[in-house]
Amino acid sequence: MAVGIDALAGKVGGSLRGKRVLVRSDLNVPLEDGEEGQVRVADDGRIRASVPTIKALADAGARVVVAAHLGRPKGAPDPAYSLRPVAERLGELLGNPVYFADDTVGQSAHDTVSELRDGQVALLENVRFNPGETSKDDAERGAFAVDLASLADAFVSDGFGVVHRKQASVYDVAQRLPHAMGGLVAAEIDVLRRLTEDPERPYVVVLGGSKVSDKLAVIDNLLGKADALLVGGGMVFTFLAAQGHGVGRSLLEQDQVDTCREYLRRAADTGVELVLPTDVVVAPEFAADATPTVVAVDAIPDDQIGLDIGPESSAAFAAAIRPARTVFWNGPMGVFEFDAFASGTRAVAQALTEIDGLSVVGGGDSAAAVRRLGFADSAFGHISTGGGASLEYLEGKALPGIDVLEES
Ligand code: ADP
Ligand code: MG
């Protein structure tokens, strides 16, 4: 599989100079209202992560055409989801203007691309303005991919957050152009391989976040691979219920209790350590200023909500993490957005920074949590930009956007 721009150059006659290269990036960033009714980028993390590949192509003399999505528009143009503010921010980060096409594959796109000179960059409007992008119908997706492909001589897949999607700008277009994997996707896949193919042991996985049902498949898969699985966050209450504890008004997915009970049994059978908290922080309501109380897991009052793991559990989780040589963490241990319920998440994050080995943080909220709590990105081995894609990989699922690159 071609990784990097050298390999791609080889596929298009030896040099990228003057070649139109379509890059699928993940520029799906949160927006906020700025001055004078302008909309601006609230967090440019994903744009920054996309810059190196775009810059490398521009530096090689390519005419770079970036395709990306923003939010979930319904297959038609919608100004609320325009990528225009993103084009501006991308230009600032590149230090060069980014020409914006205000459609995806229409007149504006063709005009903008044909006016590009070597080393210049254009951004197409939100690909999800076209119903073909996310269509389940191969022909409809294929037709949009043909239009996208007509804008370029080669394709680079660099949007890790979307490689688990069989979508026109991710999957179908790669079948229609000489292609390569971008540096961002290559780095993510490299880390995920290290987690799945022969991880250095002890291998500890920490899972949290809001819903257990989001993460059942990954628990299922990791039960056979990790040495220890630590569970916190909102999802832990379904496990505690499976152990027969009352969980008050905490998050509970009643229909998953049996599945969690089955996991507890399987962990015991296979010798995987499945570690649950022994104490939790509860409060009478879901609010930043709610009064926190620490209780044992077998004494959660009926009228209280569990919002974090307790101090004894935080210490136990940290102690289980520290000797590990490989740690994957997805999902905050509590409602870290409220300071009073951020301690469990902080303790786990801190422990990850102290291991002698590979520490990986996956998941949008988990990444946001470590930054909010003041940890530097560099304190971790890797912070994944794509929560869904990394979880699906760890579930053992194929990623269509990766497999299609391997097909030739
Ligand atoms: P990620 O995006 O990292 O995969 P999730 O989206 O699964 O993580 O979950 C993140 C959310 O889980 C956070 O907004 C956090 O407030 C919430 N959460 C964590 N613990 C609890 C809890 N005990 N009760 C309710 N929500 C929780
Ligand atoms: Mg999330």
Side-chain angles (χ1 to χ4, degrees):
M1 174 189 7
V3 176
I5 58 175
D6 295 342
L8 187 62
K11 293 185 179 184
V12 292
S15 167
L16 291 175
R17 181 154 300 279
K19 294 290 190 303
R20 299 166 305 160
V21 179
L22 182 72
V23 185
R24 178 53 158 110
S25 299
D26 179 5
L27 304 178
N28 188 23
V29 293
L31 300 178
E32 64 188 9
D33 291 329
E35 293 128 40
E36 293 165 23
Q38 298 274 33
V39 174
R40 64 174 178 224
V41 172
D43 172 9
D44 64 4
R46 283 181 168 153
I47 307 178
R48 283 177 187 278
S50 303
V51 162
T53 296
I54 294 169
K55 188 167 183 319
L57 289 165
D59 288 349
R63 303 175 179 195
V64 187
V65 182
V66 183
H69 76 283
L70 184 80
R72 294 175 182 256
K74 304 207 160 26
D78 179 343
Y81 296 104
S82 174
L83 278 169
R84 189 180 285 277
V86 173
E88 207 160 301
R89 186 72 192 117
L90 178 59
E92 287 166 12
L93 291 167
L94 284 167
N96 276 309
V98 168
Y99 301 95
F100 186 66
D102 45 35
D103 57 26
T104 55
V105 291
Q107 197 60 50
S108 175
H110 282 274
D111 290 348
T112 305
V113 173
S114 68
E115 282 160 22
L116 283 180
R117 281 174 289 165
D118 298 358
Q120 292 188 331
V121 179
L123 173 62
L124 303 177
E125 184 53 288
N126 192 339
V127 285
R128 292 192 184 168
F129 285 2
N130 190 304
E133 172 65 4
T134 57
S135 174
K136 296 279 173 263
D137 176 30
D138 290 353
E140 195 184 4
R141 254 192 358 261
F144 181 44
V146 166
D147 289 343
L148 281 170
S150 75
L151 293 168
D153 305 302
F155 174 65
V156 171
S157 180
D158 206 38
F160 182 68
V162 287
V163 291
H164 59 315
R165 307 274 186 216
K166 195 172 181 180
Q167 297 180 340
S169 69
V170 179
Y171 177 83
D172 305 77
V173 78
Q175 296 179 316
R176 289 166 171 83
L177 286 173
H179 52 250
M181 190 184 274
L184 179 59
V185 168
E188 294 271 10
I189 292 295
D190 182 54
V191 168
L192 290 172
R193 290 221 165 103
R194 286 170 67 190
L195 290 178
T196 46
E197 297 168 6
D198 203 18
E200 246 200 282
R201 295 184 182 279
Y203 176 23
V204 175
V205 174
V206 191
L207 291 176
S210 44
K211 289 173 73 185
V212 74
S213 51
D214 285 350
K215 295 174 186 175
L216 285 176
V218 74
I219 298 173
D220 201 310
N221 200 274
L222 290 171
L223 269 181
K225 302 208 165 82
D227 299 301
L229 185 57
L230 319 182
V231 180
M235 64 191 261
V236 83
F237 298 99
T238 305
F239 277 94
L240 293 176
Q243 287 184 322
H245 298 303
V247 298
R249 289 159 53 227
S250 310
L251 265 188
L252 173 63
E253 288 178 82
Q254 195 64 54
D255 54 342
Q256 306 298 346
V257 171
D258 286 342
T259 311
C260 289
R261 193 175 293 125
E262 174 59 28
Y263 290 155
L264 288 165
R265 186 167 31 228
R266 246 176 62 201
D269 288 350
T270 53
V272 175
E273 232 187 307
L274 206 166
V275 184
L276 300 179
T278 51
D279 58 350
V280 290
V281 183
V282 299
E285 70 251 335
F286 189 94
D289 59 357
T291 307
T293 310
V294 177
V295 298
V297 288
D298 58 3
I300 300 175
D302 285 345
D303 59 350
Q304 302 264 318
I305 313 171
L307 296 177
D308 195 9
I309 59 172
E312 182 182 276
S313 311
S314 293
F317 280 25
I321 291 166
R322 257 182 240 115
R325 304 302 294 262
T326 307
V327 183
F328 173 73
W329 171 33
N330 169 274
M333 295 293 100
V335 184
F336 71 90
E337 295 93 335
F338 302 154
D339 292 340
F341 308 101
S343 301
T345 303
R346 183 180 290 108
V348 162
Q350 180 66 37
L352 254 78
T353 67
E354 289 165 8
I355 73 156
D356 178 16
L358 174 65
S359 59
V360 180
V361 181
D365 291 291
S366 308
V370 298
R371 292 182 183 129
R372 185 191 152 96
L373 295 175
F375 292 91
D377 286 19
S378 58
F380 304 93
H382 182 74
I383 300 184
S384 179
T385 54
S390 51
L391 282 179
E392 291 203 11
Y393 189 98
L394 293 177
E395 284 167 21
K397 281 193 193 151
L399 301 179
I402 299 298
D403 290 352
V404 72
L405 301 177
E406 287 166 353
E407 279 163 17
S408 82

